[in-house]
Amino acid sequence: MVKPFWRSKISATKNDGLTWYKDLGLHAFGEFSTAMIQANSVMEDQCQIESGPLTFNNSAVHGTFVGVYDGHGGPEASRFTADNIFPNLKKFATESGDISEEVMRNAFAETDEDFLTAVKKQWRKNPQMASVGSCCLAGVICNGLVYIANAGDSRAVLGRSERGGVRAVQLSVEHNANVESARQELWSMHPNDPNILVMKHRMWRVKGIIQVTKSIGDAYLKRAEFNREPLLPKYRVAEHFTEPILSEDPSVTVTRLDQEDEFMIFASDGLWEHLSNQEAVDIVHSSPRQGVARRLLKAALKEAAKKREMRYSDLKEINPGVRRHFHDDITVIVVYLDPQMVQANGWASPLSIRGGY
């Protein structure tokens, strides 16, 4: 097994068995806490936090970038995304002079195109790379705004102070075939394909294969040249296609932050399978900041154990691979928002932290 790691330019992050975490750190607008846990035989999630300049030539354009990349079919696409999407974002922000919805979309498109180019180069040697993909959730806090771009089914949720408590506000739009809006979008994009969505094992799947409707990678559903032998038969679709079946184009939301906005939770769908938006927000709101991301992991795992009528302590003993039958890889990043720092547009001191393999 490849050894897990955290690459960081700040104090070392801890590794405890299958869990990796940074209990508390500082970003441009406050504090953050992050944690990951492995369930697959190879960890397919990746994540990163970058704080500081958001362009290559103007330090006045600065903020915090947060990325959660939930891989499927292998770790290659999520690793590639973690390596490339932030530099791509900085490139387009440099060209335009600022962060914008278009910059976010261009960063996704460039990352996806570059990964498909890598798939083509390795096609003869490693054709199964064409079946690897990754959900991609990216957030940028800058100039009092938060830009959220999402392709796939990870989620970003804002905790907003309200009447002595905190209310969950979902910032991201999800792209999973079991979400009505995602199905409608796919049907509208492929009106002449009656098999674009197929119910299989009581779940909607694109072409009967995959649940996510947008992603980085998944070349076999974007270019027909990769949907053939020697790709494994389970990934090949019967009908020839000329237009991409899946898209990398994210849904982008832009929200102006105000004094009541306390924190944001960025997490892969492994967390949201077991906790509602409000449950997660309540845990963060009522807990000390130190180690709060690990508390969210523990709450999700306790719920996963409860669903299988087993003890949490027994779930923790299950090895990777087999453990995937009980829960997915989970990545959580909690980003706290200091109102004064948000209003002053934070500080530009660089920070870079990445979790995964």
Side-chain angles (χ1 to χ4, degrees):
M1 184 184 296
V2 179
K3 187 178 179 180
F5 69 83
W6 282 86
R7 293 204 299 238
S8 175
K9 294 178 183 176
I10 59 176
S11 55
T13 310
K14 296 180 181 179
N15 172 2
D16 179 16
L18 299 178
T19 307
W20 304 276
Y21 56 93
K22 173 72 179 174
D23 275 344
L24 202 65
L26 288 171
H27 70 103
F29 305 100
E31 296 176 315
F32 71 89
S33 177
T34 184
M36 307 174 76
I37 190 163
Q38 179 183 346
N40 287 291
S41 54
V42 175
M43 180 67 158
E44 295 181 339
D45 277 14
Q46 296 275 311
C47 70
Q48 69 186 123
I49 304 171
E50 310 284 343
S51 232
L54 297 173
T55 70
F56 291 117
N57 62 358
N58 184 2
S59 61
V61 181
H62 61 268
T64 293
F65 173 90
V66 180
V68 172
Y69 319 118
D70 180 1
H72 48 262
E76 291 87 354
S78 58
R79 292 176 184 172
F80 186 93
T81 302
D83 285 340
N84 290 279
I85 194 164
F86 183 60
N88 285 337
L89 179 134
K90 289 183 75 172
K91 181 183 83 168
F92 289 112
T94 300
E95 292 174 1
S96 69
D98 210 342
I99 297 296
S100 65
E101 179 179 336
E102 183 181 12
V103 165
M104 303 290 282
R105 292 187 186 280
N106 287 341
F108 275 61
E110 182 95 340
T111 303
D112 187 62
E113 182 64 28
D114 289 348
F115 185 75
L116 297 192
T117 299
V119 170
K120 187 168 186 175
K121 288 179 180 178
Q122 297 191 39
W123 174 249
R124 290 189 177 183
K125 185 169 61 176
N126 183 20
Q128 301 315 315
M129 193 169 164
S131 64
V132 177
S134 181
C135 298
C136 183
L137 171 64
V140 176
I141 309 167
C142 181
N143 296 324
L145 301 171
V146 57
Y147 298 81
I148 300 291
N150 194 38
D153 54 11
S154 296
R155 188 182 301 171
V157 175
L158 176 71
R160 178 169 287 165
S161 178
E162 193 173 86
R163 296 172 189 165
V166 65
R167 178 169 63 93
V169 180
Q170 185 166 323
L171 299 179
S172 57
V173 177
E174 287 164 44
H175 307 281
N176 184 298
N178 295 287
V179 176
E180 175 68 23
S181 59
R183 290 199 300 276
Q184 293 297 334
E185 182 180 27
L186 207 58
W187 277 321
S188 68
M189 291 171 62
H190 303 276
N192 299 317
D193 185 353
N195 298 314
I196 189 65
L197 287 163
V198 177
M199 180 71 78
K200 191 173 182 180
H201 305 306
R202 295 183 293 180
M203 303 290 280
W204 285 103
R205 298 174 188 270
V206 181
K207 306 301 286 186
I209 301 172
I210 189 171
Q211 290 186 45
V212 295
T213 61
K214 292 189 176 186
S215 67
I216 302 295
D218 292 310
Y220 73 109
L221 291 175
K222 291 178 178 172
R223 295 182 185 174
E225 65 182 290
F226 301 123
N227 203 286
R228 58 183 175 86
E229 293 183 343
L231 189 69
L232 293 174
K234 67 178 180 178
Y235 294 115
R236 301 204 297 266
V237 298
E239 307 89 353
H240 178 73
F241 60 91
T242 55
E243 297 294 323
I245 295 170
L246 294 189
S247 167
E248 87 296 331
D249 187 39
S251 292
V252 182
T253 65
V254 184
T255 304
R256 180 161 292 281
L257 298 170
D258 61 31
Q259 297 280 329
E260 286 72 41
D261 297 331
E262 296 186 4
F263 56 83
M264 290 182 288
I265 305 171
F266 296 79
S268 56
D269 73 317
L271 181 81
W272 308 113
E273 286 175 5
H274 303 294
L275 297 179
S276 70
N277 292 357
Q278 192 61 49
E279 286 170 337
V281 161
D282 287 341
I283 290 170
V284 174
H285 180 66
S286 62
S287 300
R289 293 187 175 191
Q290 182 86 18
V292 72
R294 281 199 290 156
R295 287 187 189 89
L296 285 171
L297 284 188
K298 186 175 182 179
L301 294 180
K302 282 188 171 182
E303 191 60 31
K306 182 179 178 181
K307 289 175 181 176
R308 300 300 291 268
E309 299 182 340
M310 65 188 301
R311 293 180 300 182
Y312 169 66
S313 57
D314 292 335
L315 176 61
K316 291 199 300 181
E317 299 301 317
I318 299 175
N319 289 327
V322 176
R323 192 166 179 151
R324 180 62 184 87
H325 297 290
F326 299 85
H327 69 87
D328 199 354
D329 297 336
I330 304 174
T331 297
V332 181
I333 302 174
V334 179
V335 177
Y336 290 97
L337 301 167
D338 182 310
Q340 292 180 328
M341 296 177 76
V342 170
Q343 190 173 13
N345 201 29
W347 44 267
S349 298
L351 161 120
S352 179
I353 182 169
R354 177 170 159 189
Y357 278 81

